Amino acid sequence: MLEQILNTFDVNTDAVATNRGFYYQYLSVLKKWIQNFVEDKNIVTYTEVDNDIKEVGQELIFTQIKCYSSNFSFNSEEIKNSIFNFWLLYLKYNSSNENIKFCFSTNTKIAPREKLLDKWSANPELNDNELYKLCKEKIKEILIKEIKVRKNKKLQNKITEIQKTEIKSASESFKKYIQNTDIEEFVRNIIWEFNSISPEESIISIRKDIDLLLSNLKFNNKPSALLFSVLLSEIYKKSQNTNKDDRCVTNETISIILEQTDDELKKIIDKKFTKLLRIEIEQIQNDIQHIQIKLGQQDEEINILKNNFTDFSKTKIPKELTFIPDINSTEILGWDDFIVDINANLRVKKTISIFAEGGMGKTSFAKKYLKTFTDYDHIIWVSVENSISYAFSFDEVLQKNLGVEFIKSDDINKFKLILNDINKIEGHNLLIVDIQQSEIDNTELKLIATITNWEKIILTRSHIKNFTSFKLPRISFEYAKKIFTSNYSKEEIDNSLLIEYFEYIDYNVLVIELTAKTIENSIDLTLNTFFNLLKDQKLDDNDFNIDIEVNDENEVIRIFNFLLKKFSLNNLNSEERNYIEYLALLPSSNIYIEDIILINGIDFYDENKITIGNIINSLEKKGLVEYSSDRKRINIHRIIREIIIYNSRKEFNPFINCLFYIVWLTARIKEGQNQPSNSIRFLKYAESILNSIKEEYRKSVYQPLLMLENELLYSYRFFIDIGIGNEHNLRWNNLALRAQKYLGSNDPNLAVIYNNLALSFAYNEDFKNAIIYFKKALVIFKKEESKWVDIVITILNNISNIHLKSKDLINAMNVFKEVQEIRRRYNYFDGQQLGIEYRILADSYKIAGDYDKAIELLCGGIKLHKSLNILKRNDFYLSAYYNQLSQLYLYKNDIGQAITNQEMAIKTLEDINLNNSDYLLQMYTIVLSLYQHEGIKNKEEEVINKINLFKNIQS
């Protein structure tokens, strides 16, 4: 129950802000960190994990930081939210931690009328029993009200009735749990810190505390200002790690920093980050008077800029205005024709976007372009990791070569001022903007486009529709092989293996290089082993922990960690992240948009068409999915798909966000039990999900995956002749073994799986095991026979058929009589199983040699089946009846009727659109033999064409 509660009400507290609270939070982390170092406390301090600050030592302490100008009370949303989040953390960690504390820390004070919180803050131990009781009741009251508030918010979202029921159920369970739980330990572990000073004073105060701590001899007399910037940069860097476990700072981190010289320390300062902090500090400290002074200085500063204006002619500034990546040390292969087309278009269009997924070679292409076309007077290359404006504004080399200097008041418009100066440069010039991230600010791109004197190449993962855009072609096999062999010198690899591997990774240039270098630097790793591990989702296997070097990287890397960093998804909102996690489980290519809308249910089609369409458009904009040319399908690059799956596996509850999609997909496939053609479109998605979520990562969605696999395997019986081999039977057997371990012994879902496994044994003529598992299913269903009467009858009819196949008429009729007794007991004379029972009787008379009676009974079964509501019957069985009727007429040597009924069997399958069913092919083959026997040439040619078409489609 607790897991369901946490899944429903957990909130994402790993947010990164850039406001005053953000700065105050980082200062708080820094103070705790260096204080622990000075006091030799072995505590690991996390930021942006579970709460603002998480400290792991002898105690586990979660701290919520609030830098506010207003006061707090128990009615404050911030207090109520913090208590609720603390409670979720308590549920999550209490079982594994004896000492756990929750601290609400703020600069401000308690509201004057808030008496209870004031008393609690003054008596943190809650020694007064009456005070403790009041506090406990208040906490329970807040928790229960917060459940209601959050439930109502979730119910206001556009969700299905199933989801609403799930949320309401979790809410009620949560309330009952709180009402019936002794929360004394939780209450006594809440700590309140109210410093009763203004935000401005709080930042000044904590900064003074930090400066005092940094003056301690343990910091080796390092300049405190330098250490402050270094340590704050380290906290910021750690907080940005994708892996939550890496978002921490320790005493060892400080010891390593102190071993470095001052010059070395200056190099590791994140200048962009600290500059932003200075701006933030100024915004906090400056008052209206200072702003007025700055405004008064504006005219003077503008005049200075005018007087210092430099004539930007091409003869007075260098050709390369920024650092240009190395274009000469390695040969760049491929794109020879494409590069000529781009050059021709660039001369006309001036601004061109070249897009492709990460790792496909966009940067390499641009290097080759520079190496090929050398007639440019000036070149700027800007690599964008955060935002375009950020990259330009903090490129010191560019600003130095432009000969411009800025004052602090220019910071907000620095990007525009730099573009303005660039635009003044005359000549034949080229600007390359290499965007490493997936999200693009179109406003910034439009500003780039205003530079009229330059040709501009925008390299991006996204398809920018308001510029002339070209998709970077994937390189040829020959070039891909050359890239591989240029980084690999061991034994020759067969071309067929290389082709298969390159196709699997979609000719991703980066992955080809990393793979080759990893194998080259290993002792015994081969491409075949590497490929198999990749297909088995074991890219994080220890065999891959091999140090390699990559161009443009300053340190050695390891393939798995590098790819995780390269394809990080930090810029997605929760809705996009959840949906791309689901899409990554589907096939990497040809995901039909209509299919994924229908998976959510036909009743919600119109609503989901908009919602899902918007999400996909956003994901395409961020370069994570690609539309087909007809925009009816989407593809996800294989490597992006793999990395998303790896990231999902690291979550506390892996793939829990995909739970409803799995349940809905199961329902869609199950709807095809009576109309199989309706479900065939969904089978490939189910197979992909089952292949994508490996056994060890299924704990959070285990039961839904069992039922999905059950429906998938059952549906295959309408399309695949599962009696030909035993692979299908092995899958059923494996499913049953796993279901036995996970589901309760009386779970109806387990009984369904037993029944379907028995059917598989029956198709493979393993009648002994078929009977065993049919009876296992019966034991479960008969415990509530009145509830499952239709299924009980179905299983008994299956057992009758087994006896008939064994020519055991006595047992077949005994079971048949049992079915009739059940029908009388419950007055249940409905459903398509009645037709099956006619067929059972017909088979009995056939065995006895009375073909006329068998035909009469089978015709009765056909008539009954046709009388059923078309939505409640499966005409796959009707086709089987006609097929059996054709066989009976053959026994009577009535070829005409045999042909007629076989044609009816074929037409029935064709009418329900089972055109790719193995059974249809078998029926074509049978009727072809009959046509040939009777010499019906025109129909013979027609069916031969159908057989050839069928084989072509399958191939």
Side-chain angles (χ1 to χ4, degrees):
M1 183 192 73
L2 288 181
E3 185 174 359
Q4 180 194 23
I5 290 169
L6 287 171
N7 289 341
T8 302
F9 289 97
D10 199 7
V11 294
N12 180 12
T13 57
D14 303 336
V16 180
T18 54
N19 53 19
R20 181 177 59 207
F22 159 81
Y23 184 47
Y24 183 68
Q25 175 188 328
Y26 273 39
L27 290 177
S28 301
V29 175
L30 178 56
K31 181 180 175 181
K32 287 177 180 289
W33 183 21
I34 59 179
Q35 194 161 7
N36 291 333
F37 179 75
V38 169
E39 296 173 3
D40 288 323
K41 292 182 180 178
N42 187 23
I43 295 175
V44 180
T45 305
Y46 291 82
T47 180
E48 312 299 352
V49 175
D50 289 321
N51 231 294
D52 289 341
I53 305 175
K54 173 182 175 182
E55 297 172 86
V56 181
Q58 292 183 341
E59 292 181 319
L60 178 59
I61 304 174
F62 296 98
T63 302
Q64 179 71 52
I65 303 290
K66 297 293 181 185
C67 188
Y68 274 53
S69 55
S70 57
N71 299 333
F72 285 117
S73 71
F74 274 130
N75 289 324
S76 302
E77 291 300 321
E78 294 78 8
I79 293 271
K80 291 187 284 188
N81 281 332
S82 295
I83 289 173
F84 191 82
N85 294 336
F86 283 160
W87 175 243
L88 292 180
L89 291 170
Y90 177 77
L91 295 178
K92 185 175 180 180
Y93 290 102
N94 184 51
S95 61
S96 57
N97 292 273
E98 294 183 2
N99 299 315
I100 181 169
K101 304 288 185 185
F102 306 96
C103 178
F104 182 89
S105 178
T106 179
N107 63 288
T108 188
K109 58 186 177 181
I110 300 171
R113 295 184 179 181
E114 179 53 74
K115 304 302 181 185
L116 181 59
L117 182 56
D118 189 47
K119 290 179 181 179
W120 189 351
S121 179
N123 184 3
E125 301 297 329
L126 292 176
N127 296 324
D128 184 330
N129 194 46
E130 288 302 316
L131 176 61
Y132 159 69
K133 288 181 180 178
L134 290 172
C135 292
K136 183 179 75 171
E137 290 306 313
K138 173 56 72 173
I139 295 300
K140 278 199 173 186
E141 175 191 328
I142 288 172
L143 291 175
I144 291 171
K145 285 184 177 178
E146 279 296 292
I147 291 171
K148 183 178 179 180
V149 169
R150 295 174 187 228
K151 177 192 73 174
N152 291 338
K153 285 183 179 179
K154 289 177 177 289
L155 292 176
Q156 288 171 6
N157 295 332
K158 294 180 179 179
I159 56 177
T160 66
E161 290 302 320
I162 295 174
Q163 291 171 309
K164 289 181 180 179
T165 302
E166 192 77 23
I167 291 168
K168 291 176 182 177
S169 173
S171 302
E172 289 304 313
S173 299
F174 205 175
K175 282 197 289 187
K176 289 178 183 177
Y177 178 78
I178 293 170
Q179 290 166 344
N180 299 325
T181 299
D182 183 2
I183 65 170
E184 178 178 355
E185 182 181 15
F186 172 64
V187 173
R188 292 188 183 279
N189 285 341
I190 298 176
I191 303 166
W192 303 101
E193 290 183 359
F194 295 95
N195 294 315
S196 302
I197 56 177
S198 70
E200 293 78 10
E201 291 172 326
S202 68
I203 289 177
I204 293 170
S205 174
I206 195 171
R207 181 65 194 269
K208 286 180 179 178
D209 292 341
I210 290 169
D211 287 340
L212 181 61
L213 286 166
L214 290 174
S215 66
N216 190 282
L217 293 177
K218 295 195 72 170
F219 291 100
N220 301 339
N221 294 317
K222 295 277 187 185
S224 61
L226 175 62
L227 278 180
F228 177 79
S229 295
V230 170
L231 296 175
L232 211 56
S233 295
E234 186 68 18
I235 292 171
Y236 173 72
K237 182 177 72 174
K238 294 288 188 180
S239 73
Q240 305 305 301
N241 285 326
T242 303
N243 188 341
K244 294 181 181 181
D245 294 338
D246 295 333
R247 298 181 197 164
C248 65
V249 289
T250 64
N251 290 348
E252 183 183 3
T253 310
I254 296 179
S255 298
I256 293 171
I257 287 172
L258 292 177
E259 291 175 359
Q260 301 182 62
T261 66
D262 289 359
D263 288 338
E264 288 173 330
L265 290 178
K266 290 176 183 176
K267 293 179 181 178
I268 63 174
I269 294 174
D270 190 322
K271 294 181 180 178
K272 300 173 185 178
F273 174 66
T274 55
K275 282 182 180 179
L276 288 176
L277 287 184
R278 290 191 192 102
I279 294 169
E280 187 64 32
I281 293 170
E282 288 171 357
Q283 289 174 339
I284 295 171
Q285 294 178 335
N286 290 344
D287 56 15
I288 296 174
Q289 182 181 1
H290 186 62
I291 293 172
Q292 289 173 339
I293 292 171
K294 287 178 67 180
L295 289 173
Q297 294 171 338
Q298 186 175 25
D299 288 340
E300 181 182 350
E301 291 166 347
I302 290 173
N303 289 330
I304 291 172
L305 286 175
K306 287 181 178 179
N307 293 332
N308 290 337
F309 175 73
T310 304
D311 180 15
F312 292 107
S313 68
K314 61 185 179 181
T315 59
K316 293 183 180 180
I317 58 175
K319 177 176 181 176
E320 297 178 357
L321 290 167
T322 58
F323 285 126
I324 305 299
D326 177 22
I327 62 175
N328 296 312
S329 61
T330 57
E331 181 185 8
I332 299 173
L333 303 169
W335 306 301
D336 295 326
D337 294 332
F338 182 66
I339 210 166
V340 174
D341 291 339
I342 290 298
N343 179 255
N345 276 280
L346 194 57
R347 298 297 170 96
V348 177
K349 301 291 186 181
K350 296 300 184 183
T351 304
I352 280 179
S353 165
I354 297 172
F355 67 98
E357 299 87 352
M360 294 303 286
K362 298 183 293 295
T363 302
S364 296
F365 169 81
K367 289 180 182 180
K368 183 165 184 172
Y369 185 91
L370 284 181
K371 193 173 182 179
T372 305
F373 301 101
T374 59
D375 60 336
Y376 288 101
D377 298 313
H378 303 290
I379 300 169
I380 294 176
W381 183 306
V382 177
S383 295
V384 178
E385 294 182 356
N386 295 300
S387 71
I388 297 174
S389 60
Y390 196 95
F392 277 86
S393 298
F394 290 99
D395 192 320
E396 295 176 355
V397 174
L398 174 61
Q399 293 172 38
K400 183 177 180 180
N401 284 327
L402 287 174
V404 296
E405 294 181 1
F406 296 98
I407 57 177
K408 291 179 180 177
S409 61
D410 290 330
D411 285 345
I412 193 169
N413 290 315
K414 189 184 289 186
F415 175 47
K416 293 180 181 178
L417 292 172
I418 290 172
L419 293 184
N420 185 55
D421 286 333
I422 291 173
N423 199 33
K424 294 174 182 176
I425 301 173
E426 298 178 354
H428 179 214
N429 307 321
L430 176 66
L431 168 61
I432 296 175
V433 182
D434 188 1
I435 302 174
Q436 302 295 322
Q437 61 184 11
S438 57
E439 187 172 21
I440 302 171
D441 188 328
N442 282 325
T443 303
E444 294 178 336
L445 281 177
K446 288 176 182 177
L447 288 173
I448 294 284
T450 62
I451 306 176
T452 56
N453 289 342
W454 290 64
E455 293 174 3
K456 287 87 64 184
I457 296 178
I458 313 295
L459 306 175
T460 173
R461 298 180 184 181
S462 309
H463 183 188
I464 307 171
K465 297 180 176 62
N466 45 344
F467 291 140
T468 301
S469 297
F470 297 90
K471 174 115 188 241
L472 183 70
R474 78 179 191 180
I475 59 174
S476 66
F477 168 74
E478 290 73 20
Y479 287 140
K481 182 177 179 180
K482 284 183 180 180
I483 292 172
F484 189 91
T485 54
S486 66
N487 294 288
Y488 171 86
S489 61
K490 296 182 180 180
E491 71 275 7
E492 186 174 350
I493 298 175
D494 185 78
N495 277 354
S496 60
L497 176 59
L498 285 173
I499 290 172
E500 185 182 1
Y501 181 66
F502 295 158
E503 289 286 346
Y504 187 84
I505 63 170
D506 198 20
Y507 283 80
N508 189 290
V509 175
L510 174 63
V511 177
I512 292 171
E513 177 190 347
L514 296 179
T515 303
K517 288 181 175 179
T518 300
I519 299 172
E520 175 72 12
N521 287 5
S522 71
I523 296 174
D524 56 358
L525 190 62
T526 65
L527 179 59
N528 192 56
T529 304
F530 186 103
F531 193 12
N532 287 331
L533 289 170
L534 177 61
K535 287 187 287 188
D536 291 338
Q537 289 184 1
K538 294 181 179 178
L539 196 58
D540 51 353
D541 191 271
N542 190 55
D543 284 346
F544 292 159
N545 288 332
I546 295 166
D547 293 337
I548 58 177
E549 294 183 356
V550 179
N551 293 337
D552 302 325
E553 292 295 319
N554 296 325
E555 55 187 2
V556 295
I557 59 101
R558 292 178 177 177
I559 184 171
F560 178 65
N561 293 330
F562 186 73
L563 289 175
L564 283 178
K565 176 183 175 183
K566 190 77 176 177
F567 296 97
S568 64
L569 306 174
N570 293 331
N571 63 325
L572 301 182
N573 62 43
S574 59
E575 189 176 49
E576 292 166 344
R577 184 178 293 275
N578 291 344
Y579 207 71
I580 194 65
E581 182 178 316
Y582 161 58
L583 290 179
L585 299 177
L586 307 183
S588 61
S589 60
N590 288 325
I591 301 173
Y592 280 84
I593 297 171
E594 185 176 16
D595 289 350
I596 57 178
I597 296 172
L598 286 171
I599 284 172
N600 292 18
I602 187 65
D603 293 339
F604 306 97
Y605 183 89
D606 290 336
E607 176 184 337
N608 285 316
K609 179 174 64 175
I610 303 301
T611 302
I612 293 174
N614 286 337
I615 295 175
I616 293 174
N617 287 337
S618 180
L619 293 174
E620 187 218 15
K621 181 181 176 183
K622 295 177 180 180
L624 295 175
V625 301
E626 179 188 13
Y627 278 105
S628 62
S629 57
D630 58 9
R631 295 188 69 82
K632 292 182 178 180
R633 291 161 289 133
I634 55 172
N635 303 322
I636 305 177
H637 190 280
R638 174 81 70 170
I639 299 303
I640 294 176
R641 178 179 181 270
E642 293 294 317
I643 294 303
I644 292 169
I645 291 173
Y646 278 104
N647 280 323
S648 300
R649 294 189 334 195
K650 293 189 297 181
E651 295 295 326
F652 180 70
N653 286 309
F655 305 104
I656 192 67
N657 294 327
C658 303
L659 173 64
F660 286 114
Y661 297 112
I662 295 171
V663 172
W664 294 331
L665 177 58
T666 304
R668 300 296 82 77
I669 296 175
K670 191 172 184 178
E671 288 170 355
Q673 287 186 1
N674 286 334
Q675 294 175 304
S677 61
N678 290 349
S679 66
I680 189 172
R681 67 196 303 172
F682 302 119
L683 302 188
K684 68 176 183 178
Y685 304 117
E687 192 71 74
S688 181
I689 289 174
L690 293 167
N691 289 331
S692 298
I693 306 180
K694 304 302 182 186
E695 182 73 14
E696 58 267 38
Y697 302 106
R698 291 185 173 187
K699 64 176 183 178
S700 301
V701 289
Y702 206 96
Q703 182 172 355
L705 285 178
L706 288 176
M707 303 322 300
L708 177 65
E709 188 171 359
N710 174 72
E711 294 302 331
L712 173 69
L713 295 180
Y714 185 80
S715 292
Y716 277 156
R717 68 194 294 266
F718 299 118
F719 307 101
I720 303 170
D721 186 355
I722 58 177
I724 293 175
N726 62 0
E727 178 183 352
H728 194 268
N729 184 257
L730 290 174
R731 289 189 68 178
W732 270 120
N733 203 37
N734 181 268
L735 174 62
L737 290 173
R738 285 182 281 119
Q740 286 174 168
K741 293 178 182 178
Y742 186 84
L743 301 175
S745 58
N746 294 320
D747 194 318
N749 291 319
L750 179 61
V752 170
I753 292 172
Y754 281 153
N755 176 74
N756 293 336
L757 173 60
L759 286 173
S760 181
F761 278 124
Y763 277 118
N764 284 278
E765 298 187 353
D766 185 347
F767 299 141
K768 180 180 178 182
N769 274 317
I771 293 291
I772 288 172
Y773 280 96
F774 278 136
K775 288 184 175 179
K776 279 177 175 280
L778 272 178
V779 168
I780 297 173
F781 283 126
K782 280 204 166 188
K783 290 181 178 179
E784 294 184 86
E785 185 179 83
S786 61
K787 180 179 179 181
W788 305 108
V789 59
D790 188 60
I791 298 178
V792 169
I793 289 173
T794 299
I795 295 172
L796 288 171
N797 284 338
N798 288 336
I799 293 174
S800 288
N801 277 316
I802 294 292
H803 290 314
L804 289 174
K805 287 182 179 180
S806 303
K807 303 293 191 283
D808 186 349
L809 279 174
I810 294 175
N811 277 321
M813 288 301 100
N814 287 337
V815 176
F816 183 83
K817 290 175 184 177
E818 184 180 351
V819 169
Q820 304 317 306
E821 175 58 33
I822 291 172
R823 288 194 180 281
R824 284 190 292 272
R825 187 185 311 150
Y826 297 104
N827 192 28
Y828 185 78
F829 296 94
D830 193 13
Q832 61 186 3
Q833 282 297 312
L834 283 170
I836 299 289
E837 287 157 32
Y838 273 94
R839 183 181 176 186
I840 289 170
L841 290 174
D843 275 342
S844 302
Y845 278 99
K846 183 185 76 172
I847 292 171
D850 190 342
Y851 302 129
D852 289 332
K853 187 63 176 177
I855 289 171
E856 178 188 339
L857 286 165
L858 201 52
C859 287
I862 290 173
K863 183 178 180 181
L864 188 148
H865 184 92
K866 286 183 173 181
S867 71
L868 298 173
N869 186 320
I870 194 168
L871 297 177
K872 295 183 179 181
R873 74 187 200 215
N874 186 345
D875 282 355
F876 180 85
Y877 298 118
L878 179 60
S879 176
Y881 297 159
Y882 281 125
N883 182 61
Q884 187 172 350
L885 200 55
S886 174
Q887 185 186 55
L888 288 170
Y889 278 113
L890 278 179
Y891 287 137
K892 289 171 59 70
N893 203 29
D894 188 340
I895 306 299
Q897 281 295 330
I899 290 175
T900 299
N901 282 282
Q902 195 63 35
E903 288 175 339
M904 287 297 296
I906 290 171
K907 183 179 184 302
T908 302
L909 283 186
E910 290 177 340
D911 286 347
I912 59 174
N913 297 316
L914 289 188
N915 297 317
N916 50 356
S917 167
D918 284 343
Y919 297 103
L920 182 57
L921 179 60
Q922 291 176 22
M923 290 181 184
Y924 283 152
T925 305
I926 292 169
V927 81
L928 177 61
S929 298
L930 293 173
Y931 289 154
Q932 289 172 338
H933 182 274
E934 293 297 290
I936 308 175
K937 294 295 183 181
N938 59 328
K939 289 190 175 183
E940 181 183 337
E941 291 177 3
E942 182 182 340
V943 80
I944 287 174
N945 289 333
K946 287 185 176 183
I947 290 172
N948 290 335
L949 179 62
F950 183 98
K951 290 180 177 178
N952 288 335
I953 292 173
Q954 283 212 327
S955 64

